[in-house]
DNA sequence: GCATTCAGATTACAAACGTAATCGTTGAAC
DNA sequence: GTTCAACGATTACGTTTGTAATCTGAATGC
């Protein structure tokens, strides 16, 4: 029972969530709590996974302190312990840090060049900026 | 001489560049061509790596088609085969895809919330948007 | 009560990654 | 010519990740 580090549940900077794990988190962010079977129903199709795979990912996420379990009869209900917004926030920041020296503007520039910006996006961003300046 | 897949040199979507590898790429994007020793001089300090580590990373990047080598006497000069802008572009897109359903605006919103946007950034983004609309 | 089934837990295993030591070769110094 | 140092190449090895099979214990049907 080697009492691992645990804690760090809310800090997104905690144990890194892998790509596959992220898919599971998304399912639970969309709706929680859910059982393993329910999560599988959502992701197994999309990613071509089998039940055991989802179980493994869920367990790892619990170990990492990203999910909480609450017993429901003989199975578990899983609930995110870290907020999606926190995760998304740190992930975004990481990227901006790594690729753009922490400046967000060049990111936007790149998205623009790569046609990753729709007209709607542009409009919305302008709204956001207006908000920010108020 | 098992002629691997190779090719896919310019497609950033090729073999994924890992985090450690990325550090090496940055050094070469900053200045190229460079020898292994020169690259090490730049990154070994920052990341606490030793020469062999850099050599390994360089080799893997060559295997992945991300770097080209040109012999210079008895050593190699390494040059990026994929452009930084391409790499940065796909990486950004990946993130936006994964976390924001492909929409860039929510990304910006998050950066804003997390104080990741400086006043300068905002100004610059506005300039960019103005450009885009022209 | 006993077999079946269905959860989670444990174990597995290959690929990728991070980090590096060692090997083999070859030019350079003497 | 022989030794040495400096390269790249090969090998190594623990960890993380992706993906899953198997085990174990308990609820459930009969």
């Amino acid at each position: 029972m080697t009492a691992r580090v645990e804690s760090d549940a809310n800090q997104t900077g905690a144990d890194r969530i892998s790509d596959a794990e992220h898919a599971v988190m998304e399912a639970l962010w969309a709706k929680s709590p859910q059982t393993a079977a329910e999560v599988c129903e959502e992701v197994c199709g999309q990613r071509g996974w089998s039940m055991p795979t989802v179980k493994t990912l869920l367990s790892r996420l619990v170990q990492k302190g990203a999910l909480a379990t609450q017993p429901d009869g003989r199975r578990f209900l899983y609930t995110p312990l870290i907020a999606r917004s926190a995760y998304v926030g740190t992930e975004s920041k990481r990227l901006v840090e790594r690729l753009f020296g922490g400046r967000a503007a060049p990111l936007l520039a790149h998205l623009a060049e790569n046609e990753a910006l729709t007209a709607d996006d542009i409009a919305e961003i302008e709204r956001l900026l207006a908000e920010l300046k108020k």
Side-chain angles (χ1 to χ4, degrees), chain A:
Chain A
M1 204 184 272
T2 39
R4 295 220 48 185
V5 174
E6 50 187 89
S7 73
D8 260 323
N10 38 351
Q11 256 74 305
T12 307
D15 269 316
R16 222 146 144 50
I17 290 174
S18 83
D19 227 57
E21 286 161 2
H22 173 235
V24 168
M25 290 303 288
E26 285 294 346
L28 285 161
W29 277 323
K31 176 178 168 240
S32 77
Q34 285 187 87
T35 66
E38 286 167 334
V39 171
C40 183
E41 225 166 297
E42 265 199 53
V43 297
C44 285
Q46 286 157 43
R47 316 261 306 201
W49 288 341
S50 61
M51 193 51 180
T53 299
V54 173
K55 298 267 187 78
T56 301
L57 294 172
L58 285 170
S59 298
R60 286 181 185 167
L61 284 166
V62 170
Q63 266 175 37
K64 291 186 181 179
L67 291 181
T69 53
Q70 101 200 57
D72 168 50
R74 57 215 227 60
R75 62 230 166 111
F76 279 155
L77 292 180
Y78 296 88
T79 317
L81 272 182
I82 79 179
R84 186 178 136 88
S85 68
Y87 174 73
V88 158
T90 17
E91 275 319 283
S92 311
K93 216 162 173 180
R94 255 176 62 86
L95 183 96
V96 171
E97 213 77 39
R98 223 167 54 94
L99 300 184
F100 302 97
R103 310 288 323 282
L107 203 203
L108 199 72
H110 261 284
L111 291 173
E113 279 172 26
N114 287 25
E115 306 129 51
L117 283 184
T118 64
D120 279 0
D121 278 329
I122 295 177
E124 199 170 334
I125 288 171
E126 279 178 334
R127 257 204 315 281
L128 276 169
L129 291 180
E131 278 294 315
L132 283 178
K133 293 208 302 188
K134 266 196 308 207

